[in-house]
Amino acid sequence: MAQSFLISPDTRVRLSDYDPSYAGGYKRKADTKDELKRNVERLRELQEVMWAEGKHALLIVLQALDAGGKDGTIRHVMRGVNPQGCQVTSFKVPTEEEMDHDYLWRIHKATPRRGYIGIFNRSHYEDVLVVRVHQLVPQEVWQARYEQINHFEKLLAASGTTILKFFLHISKEEQKERFAARLADPRKNWKFSLKDVKEREHWDDYTRAYEDALSRCSTPWAPWYIVPANHKWYRNLVISQIVADTLGKLDMRFPSPLPDADKIVIPD
Ligand code: AMP
Ligand code: MG
């Protein structure tokens, strides 16, 4: 996988420069199966050390337009991970209590503790995405948030949390096909929402809002990756690889063995 997908800090992102159908030379799902399996296994092993050591935390942020594949990513990439050491939080429309606090309040509470992998299915970025597109707060309020978010993420990073942020990039045509598939299959009907179809009308506004978030909030301590996501199998391969590589670079080890483990007698 030669391409990096990492957005360097201060890059001016234009999403039209990124091909959502890119698949790195792979032709079909079967071509990526073994590699995905290896990554999932690597992740399983790394997470066990992370859990045992209890020193580092990993936060994975997933953002995408509707039907972008956030749920599928979690299902496929995290399938080897011990559920006990992993916590998924899906951020919905804020509750009344959440609304009565600053927008990072609910986010901060959900960040992973040491030893854990935390996955955000949507995140604080909604506060510069849906909130901006629908003008839920005045412009000067959301404008100030990019800097606040960078500071917040810096605090997390300085406290032992490794942060990876993935934007799952699909095309407008692919979204239409996925909505249609949800309608066509009775077992997928539950995923279909007229609200999502309505949101689609704001595609261009969302594109601009995403471009700003990706441009302004990819930092050395909390990088954004733009993942080509029209092909679900390639998306899974890319994300599993980045997560495993990132964990692999952390200096993690099992706690030192007991010096006299062989001398301890366990009574019958
Ligand atoms: P879903 O991911 O399909 O369950 O939908 C969750 C909904 O909550 C999406 O329409 C999001 O845009 C919305 N949402 C998430 N966070 C916020 C927020 N901070 N403000 C307003 N809407 C939000
Ligand atoms: Mg939805």
Side-chain angles (χ1 to χ4, degrees):
M1 221 170 38
Q3 200 163 328
S4 97
F5 309 110
L6 170 71
I7 306 306
S8 310
D10 302 315
T11 305
R12 187 66 231 161
V13 172
R14 267 185 313 157
L15 281 174
S16 55
D17 293 340
Y18 297 80
D19 177 9
S21 289
Y22 180 79
Y26 298 92
K27 293 274 181 293
R28 60 188 85 77
K29 185 176 178 176
D31 302 339
T32 54
K33 218 174 134 200
D34 291 348
E35 232 175 306
L36 176 64
K37 211 171 148 196
R38 274 201 301 278
N39 289 344
V40 165
E41 178 56 24
R42 224 160 30 110
L43 249 171
R44 196 190 66 70
E45 288 167 6
L46 286 160
Q47 190 235 355
E48 192 182 345
V49 189
M50 193 173 151
W51 172 259
E53 189 184 45
K55 196 167 127 196
H56 299 271
L58 175 69
L59 173 61
I60 298 172
V61 171
L62 297 175
Q63 283 288 159
L65 287 168
D66 294 307
K70 301 189 300 302
D71 299 293
T73 298
I74 297 169
R75 204 165 53 242
H76 287 100
V77 175
M78 305 311 292
R79 68 177 165 219
V81 164
N82 179 355
Q84 188 155 237
C86 184
Q87 189 174 15
V88 182
T89 311
S90 300
F91 291 98
K92 311 279 184 186
V93 177
T95 63
E96 201 184 315
E97 189 189 18
E98 288 167 351
M99 284 293 236
D100 282 342
H101 290 84
D102 71 85
Y103 69 101
L104 291 174
W105 180 72
R106 65 174 183 163
I107 308 293
H108 208 162
K109 276 204 299 186
T111 53
R113 58 192 289 177
R114 293 178 212 284
Y116 281 70
I117 297 180
I119 301 170
F120 284 179
N121 182 340
R122 300 186 192 273
S123 65
H124 42 305
Y125 283 93
E126 292 294 328
D127 294 282
V128 289
L129 294 165
V130 64
V131 168
R132 164 175 165 171
V133 168
H134 291 287
Q135 300 170 32
L136 302 180
V137 300
Q139 173 161 359
E140 61 269 24
V141 173
W142 60 255
Q143 274 291 2
R145 290 181 172 170
Y146 300 99
E147 206 188 328
Q148 292 163 357
I149 287 173
N150 287 342
H151 281 125
F152 168 65
E153 292 174 349
K154 195 168 198 175
L155 167 69
L156 297 182
S159 313
T161 304
T162 298
I163 306 171
L164 294 172
K165 302 180 294 194
F166 298 105
F167 170 60
L168 315 182
H169 184 32
I170 58 163
S171 64
K172 201 171 178 189
E173 297 71 39
E174 179 66 21
Q175 188 193 53
K176 187 173 182 180
E177 278 179 32
R178 291 186 187 182
F179 284 170
R182 290 174 178 190
L183 271 182
D185 181 349
R187 293 193 349 183
K188 285 189 183 168
N189 277 179
W190 62 273
K191 285 198 224 175
F192 181 81
S193 142
L194 274 176
K195 194 173 154 259
D196 291 354
V197 177
K198 194 91 188 110
E199 261 339 68
R200 184 173 158 82
E201 291 172 17
H202 301 286
W203 185 276
D204 293 342
D205 293 334
Y206 272 109
T207 299
R208 266 193 299 276
Y210 265 109
E211 286 176 340
D212 277 352
L214 296 164
S215 303
R216 299 181 65 176
C217 298
S218 196
T219 55
W221 56 87
W224 268 113
Y225 294 83
I226 298 180
V227 180
N230 275 1
H231 298 293
K232 297 170 180 172
W233 40 267
Y234 189 64
R235 170 203 76 200
N236 293 338
L237 179 66
V238 168
I239 296 179
S240 62
Q241 180 105 19
I242 294 169
V243 175
D245 286 352
T246 303
L247 282 184
K249 282 191 207 123
L250 295 178
D251 180 29
M252 300 192 294
R253 50 199 81 197
F254 283 106
S256 346
L258 292 172
D260 41 11
D262 55 338
K263 298 198 190 71
I264 297 177
V265 180
I266 301 166
D268 295 327

